[in-house]
Amino acid sequence: MSVPRIAIFDSGVGGLTVARAVHARLPGAHLRYLGDTARLPYGTKSAGTVTRYALQAAAALLADGAHIDALVVACNTASSCALPALKERHGFPVLGVIGPGARRAVAASRTGHIGVIGTERTVASGAYQQAIAALSADAVVHAQATPLLVGLAEEGWFDGPVAEAALHAYLGPWLAQPGAKDIDTLVLGCTHYPALKDAIGRVATALLGRAPTLIDSADAIAEELANRLPSALAPDPAGTVELLATDALARFARVGGLFFPVDRAHLSLVDL
Ligand code: DGL
């Protein structure tokens, strides 16, 4: 039996929420994580540029020729537009976060009205809308870009007056639109958003008049990954976590440490 080797990438530190969930679900797996901190944010860029960056990030994770059992595209933005290109290039399973998040949302919703918040690129791609429609023809998806939440999470401002004001500015007009009051399930469609989960839940509850079920795609993909790995892959009691970043290692360690225990000894700089 061999030990599962999982490669994960995101545009920055936000995907460490996915690494944390994968590590909790598969504590003995060997994880190699790349945060493309030099080029964050992905969410404001074109689909072509995000796809190019995603292919380069995957190539860097494989550069030493190490075998991997699965590649997890933690970044919602890259998952929304780069999965076909990644799957075409690589023979191992490539998992994005959109499908698992959509499946959880459809399973959780009773009203069929599902809210999705994410980056501009993720929302514009229509990826969540399509994934949810493929699972439930009756579902109604309400999607809203909330890009500033990425910066708040990167700053470690997970709650408090600034986060609260930004959430009211984004969610207030959105949830006042016709039909939006029926939303009972809200997808956190960006790796950074689980960090602001308490504030998002509180503000959404105040605006909707009841608490929506929050869908964290980090948990959803960790579970799907565990189910997808061949049973012959045995967890090693001493699983390792290797962290790569494309810029600003000190900042990566400081901010990333808010999401996942970052050991500087296992952190190195790579150039794509
Ligand atoms: N990691 C990205 C995502 O999940 C958000 C940050 C960015 O815009 O790069 O969509």
Side-chain angles (χ1 to χ4, degrees):
M1 286 195 182
S2 59
V3 175
R5 302 187 67 90
I6 315 296
I8 305 175
F9 80 86
D10 182 47
S11 54
V13 294
L16 289 171
T17 57
V18 174
R20 183 180 59 197
V22 170
H23 190 57
R25 191 71 178 70
L26 297 164
H30 292 328
L31 305 186
R32 177 182 280 181
Y33 177 95
L34 185 144
D36 192 4
T37 43
R39 304 191 291 194
L40 176 115
Y42 282 13
T44 52
K45 300 194 168 70
S46 68
T49 296
V50 173
T51 300
R52 183 160 52 85
Y53 287 179
L55 290 169
Q56 290 170 344
L61 283 161
L62 299 167
D64 63 355
H67 166 81
I68 65 160
D69 296 295
L71 172 67
V72 175
V73 184
C75 180
N76 285 255
T77 307
S79 296
S80 77
C81 53
L83 273 195
L86 286 163
K87 285 181 176 171
E88 194 182 302
R89 184 153 312 177
H90 300 292
F92 42 75
V94 178
L95 284 78
V97 282
I98 308 273
R103 279 188 277 284
R104 278 214 174 172
V106 168
S109 181
R110 295 288 159 265
T111 62
H113 284 260
I114 297 170
V116 177
I117 53 174
T119 66
E120 284 174 67
R121 171 62 34 220
T122 299
V123 169
S125 76
Y128 271 109
Q129 294 90 323
Q130 285 159 26
I132 290 169
L135 294 164
S136 166
D138 298 333
V140 180
V141 179
H142 307 258
Q144 173 67 36
T146 54
L148 194 60
L149 304 188
V150 173
L152 291 172
E154 289 273 332
E155 201 58 34
W157 290 0
F158 301 157
D159 208 335
V162 182
E164 182 119 358
L167 284 165
H168 273 283
Y170 282 133
L171 305 190
W174 177 51
L175 295 179
Q177 286 172 14
K181 281 279 183 288
D182 292 327
I183 292 173
D184 68 346
T185 303
L186 180 58
V187 178
L188 307 179
C190 173
T191 48
H192 289 67
Y193 299 177
L196 288 95
K197 199 172 185 174
D198 290 349
I200 293 169
R202 194 176 58 247
V203 173
T205 301
L207 293 167
L208 287 168
R210 65 192 146 74
T213 303
L214 299 184
I215 303 297
D216 178 344
S217 42
D219 288 342
I221 194 154
E223 192 181 315
E224 187 142 325
L225 176 66
N227 294 335
R228 284 279 296 273
L229 286 176
S231 52
L233 294 174
D236 182 336
T240 56
V241 180
E242 190 186 343
L243 301 169
L244 311 173
T246 52
D247 197 12
L249 290 191
R251 179 176 166 81
F252 183 96
R254 177 168 53 82
V255 183
L258 301 171
F259 298 82
F260 187 84
V262 174
D263 180 347
R264 285 297 295 273
H266 297 137
L267 178 57
S268 44
L269 193 65
V270 285
D271 190 8
L272 306 189

